[in-house]
């Protein structure tokens, strides 16, 4: 067996392996695909849960302590900043491929470290984040667009000419937005459902239900899964709206992972939702489904990943021996000072600010509790003053009356 064909032991990191969300499922699906190809994936996270259980059920080891791994992996597939750096420093002689899944969150911040050989962006916006991170060269970056497991999502809907059902497919929405309800009502779309974590209606197997709906409101991975299932998709987030995916905008939307940059386009109002729903076209949606099932097949992406791993291992064989322990410790020092320390200090300051704000709120609340008592005291004092004033007026009137009587008496004399 040659180095180009031998199975790889792949340590895969993620910030959690609990909720069924984007990067968790990305890792799960790739790990299972690698296992079926004869490789040896191992999943690592400090927070375990449902996805960890699914991996174990698929015979893939899951650990929350790197000391449990007695043998060094051949390659580290890094997802999320802290978990990647934990693995990279624990196994300093193992090459790393880091995956950037997002533009905004700090856990997606790309680290620069000597044994990180390659970087992967899941869309064009993540590539921009990598290109604007100090220490990352363009030739180190590869873009692999998000994928769908076509073996799981094999049910493909035949859409009617006029839509009659819609699904809000989101982990962040607690209920169906009024804008969607109103727009669907006006267009005669009677069946509108919601699934996801926030609504309390999470589904472990979306492939079993997506093909039951004509239109799906979703973003990112969820949108890709819905398109692969034959649904017409309106890309939407909790408070933002991109629009109906069409053959004309598919390439642009896919390049941005049907995500945050696409969601800058229009306000989430019932009129805008209705306008996008009116773009529904069964034939056009069918062409989108065909294109996604052709371009976003997980197996092709898994092939690309294995190629990247082998490339990173070859590159490490060339560069690794020249990296001294002094250089590694210097890189760790720079990482602590430049990347980690400012975040920890900022978080600590935020905690202090929050505590100060809570203390001030408690003080104001205590003062507010005194208001009724102060009002009562003021009312009593006012009543007392009014009594004293009335008594003074009465006495003054008596004196005036006495003086008047005295004067009248003298006048009679």
């Amino acid at each position: 067996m040659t180095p180009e064909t031998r199975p790889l032991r792949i340590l895969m990191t993620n910030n959690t392996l609990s909720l069924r969300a984007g990067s968790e499922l990305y890792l799960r699906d790739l790990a299972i695909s690698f296992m079926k190809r004869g490789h040896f994936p191992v999943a690592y996270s400090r927070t375990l849960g449902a996805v960890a259980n699914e991996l174990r059920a698929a015979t893939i080891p899951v650990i929350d302590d790197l000391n449990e791994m007695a043998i060094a992996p051949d390659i580290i597939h890094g997802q999320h900043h802290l978990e990647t750096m934990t693995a990279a420093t624990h196994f300093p002689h193992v090459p790393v491929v880091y995956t950037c899944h997002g533009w905004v969150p700090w856990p997606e911040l790309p680290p620069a470290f000597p044994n990180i050989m390659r970087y992967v962006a899941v869309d064009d916006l993540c590539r921009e984040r990598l290109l604007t991170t100090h220490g990352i060269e363009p030739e180190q970056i590869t873009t692999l667009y998000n994928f769908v497991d076509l073996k799981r999502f094999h049910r493909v809907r035949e859409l009617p000419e006029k839509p009659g059902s819609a699904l809000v497919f989101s982990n962040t929405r607690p209920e169906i937005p009024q804008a969607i309800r109103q727009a669907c009502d006006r267009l005669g779309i009677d069946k509108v459902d919601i699934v996801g974590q926030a609504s309390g209606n999470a589904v472990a197997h979306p492939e079993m239900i997506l093909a039951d709906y004509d239109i799906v409101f979703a973003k990112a991975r969820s949108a890709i899964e819905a398109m692969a299932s034959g649904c017409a998709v309106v890309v939407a987030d909790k408070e933002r709206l991109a629009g109906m995916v069409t053959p004309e905008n598919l390439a642009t939307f896919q390049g941005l992972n049907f995500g945050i940059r696409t969601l800058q386009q229009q306000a989430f109002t019932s009129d805008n939702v209705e306008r996008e729903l009116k773009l529904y076209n069964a034939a056009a949606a069918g062409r989108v489904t065909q294109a996604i099932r052709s371009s976003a097949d997980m197996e092709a992406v898994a092939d690309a990943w294995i190629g990247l791993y082998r490339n990173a291992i070859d590159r490490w064989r060339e560069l690794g021996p020249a990296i001294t322990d002094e250089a590694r410790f210097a890189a760790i020092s720079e990482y602590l000072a430049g990347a980690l320390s400012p975040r920890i200090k900022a978080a600590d300051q935020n905690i202090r600010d929050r505590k100060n704000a809570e203390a001030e709120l408690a003080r104001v609340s205590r003062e507010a509790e005194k208001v009724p008592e102060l009002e009562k005291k003021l009312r009593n004092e006012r009543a007392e003053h009014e009594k004293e004033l009335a008594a003074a007026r009465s006495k003054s009137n008596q004196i005036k009356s006495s003086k008047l009587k005295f004067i009248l008496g003298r006048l009679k004399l």
Side-chain angles (χ1 to χ4, degrees):
M1 186 175 295
T2 66
E4 291 75 23
T5 60
R6 73 175 180 84
L8 298 176
R9 187 172 303 279
I10 309 161
L11 176 61
M12 307 179 76
T13 77
N14 206 65
N15 61 347
T16 82
L17 290 173
S18 54
L19 297 179
R20 294 181 179 91
S23 63
E24 288 88 344
L25 298 181
Y26 188 99
L27 183 151
R28 181 202 65 185
D29 289 352
L30 276 184
I32 292 174
S33 178
F34 295 154
M35 178 268 296
K36 290 179 178 179
R37 292 159 183 256
H39 300 286
F40 300 96
V42 178
Y44 165 72
S45 177
R46 298 290 293 178
T47 305
L48 307 181
V51 177
N53 294 336
E54 291 178 20
L55 286 163
R56 290 191 182 107
T59 72
I60 293 171
V62 178
I63 58 176
D64 60 5
D65 181 353
L66 292 174
N67 290 308
E68 296 176 18
M69 196 167 180
I71 184 172
D74 296 304
I75 190 77
I76 296 171
H77 173 116
Q79 296 187 169
H80 296 114
H81 183 97
L82 288 176
E83 289 71 23
T84 299
M85 287 303 298
T86 301
T89 52
H90 189 90
F91 296 108
H93 300 284
V94 174
V96 180
V97 179
Y98 179 78
T99 318
C100 183
H101 282 276
W103 173 258
V104 176
W106 179 73
E108 300 287 359
L109 180 70
F113 204 66
N115 50 333
I116 301 179
M117 297 288 98
R118 304 285 303 184
Y119 293 83
V120 171
V122 300
D123 63 20
D124 297 338
L125 188 57
C126 289
R127 179 179 175 82
E128 286 301 305
R129 188 171 192 180
L130 293 171
L131 285 170
T132 54
T133 299
H134 178 69
I136 299 176
E137 299 296 331
E139 57 269 19
Q140 292 180 273
I141 302 171
T142 301
T143 303
L144 294 177
Y145 292 148
N146 216 332
F147 57 77
V148 61
D149 184 352
L150 298 181
K151 294 177 182 177
R152 285 183 63 213
F153 291 85
H154 60 87
R155 290 181 64 210
V156 180
R157 184 171 184 77
E158 290 289 334
L159 290 174
E161 288 304 309
K162 184 178 184 301
S165 61
L167 176 69
V168 179
F169 186 20
S170 169
N171 279 329
T172 60
R173 286 191 174 277
E175 59 187 13
I176 299 170
Q178 282 298 110
I180 290 177
R181 282 197 181 278
Q182 292 169 2
C184 287
D185 285 344
R186 293 199 289 260
L187 295 176
I189 300 174
D190 299 324
K191 182 183 179 182
V192 184
D193 297 329
I194 184 170
V195 295
Q197 299 287 345
S199 62
N201 192 26
V203 289
H205 299 283
E207 68 273 15
M208 301 299 293
I209 66 165
L210 285 173
D212 296 332
Y213 294 90
D214 301 326
I215 296 172
V216 175
F217 293 88
K219 68 169 185 174
R221 180 189 180 95
S222 300
I224 298 171
E225 292 173 346
M227 281 178 273
S229 301
C231 309
V233 171
V234 176
V235 178
D237 195 3
K238 190 174 182 180
E239 298 175 346
R240 295 167 294 188
L241 177 68
M244 180 74 73
V245 182
T246 67
E248 292 73 29
N249 64 25
L250 175 60
T252 299
F253 276 29
Q254 187 175 14
L256 296 171
N257 196 31
F258 308 94
I260 185 171
R261 183 168 280 187
T262 66
L263 292 162
Q264 310 297 316
Q265 298 189 15
Q266 51 187 319
F268 204 102
T269 66
S270 60
D271 288 343
N272 287 343
V273 172
E274 181 179 357
R275 182 174 61 250
E276 295 303 322
L277 290 176
K278 286 180 178 178
L279 296 177
Y280 174 90
N281 181 287
R287 293 197 296 275
V288 168
T289 294
Q290 291 174 0
I292 280 292
R293 292 185 70 86
S294 174
S295 65
D297 183 2
M298 181 187 72
E299 296 306 322
V301 177
D303 284 339
W305 269 109
I306 296 299
L308 280 172
Y309 295 154
R310 296 197 188 281
N311 176 275
I313 291 169
D314 290 342
R315 192 163 184 261
W316 179 250
R317 289 195 186 102
E318 296 175 8
L319 302 179
I323 301 174
T324 64
D325 287 341
E326 288 78 7
R328 288 189 179 89
F329 283 119
I332 292 173
S333 176
E334 182 177 349
Y335 165 72
L336 291 173
L340 206 56
S341 178
R343 298 285 175 175
I344 294 174
K345 290 179 179 179
D348 185 58
Q349 184 61 50
N350 288 338
I351 292 172
R352 288 198 299 271
D353 291 344
R354 186 168 66 250
K355 286 183 177 179
N356 291 338
E358 290 171 352
E360 178 63 15
L361 179 61
R363 185 191 68 76
V364 171
S365 298
R366 289 194 299 271
E367 294 297 323
E369 290 173 358
K370 296 177 183 178
V371 169
E373 190 64 31
L374 290 172
E375 288 178 342
K376 181 179 179 181
K377 182 179 179 182
L378 288 172
R379 284 196 299 270
N380 292 338
E381 289 179 353
R382 180 176 179 179
E384 191 64 31
H385 288 323
E386 288 177 348
K387 286 181 182 179
E388 292 176 356
L389 181 60
R393 285 175 177 167
S394 176
K395 187 173 183 180
S396 175
N397 290 337
Q398 289 176 1
I399 293 172
K400 289 179 180 178
S401 178
S402 297
K403 285 185 176 180
L404 181 59
K405 289 179 181 179
F406 176 76
I407 291 172
L408 290 173
R410 295 297 301 257
L411 290 173
K412 287 180 181 179
L413 294 175

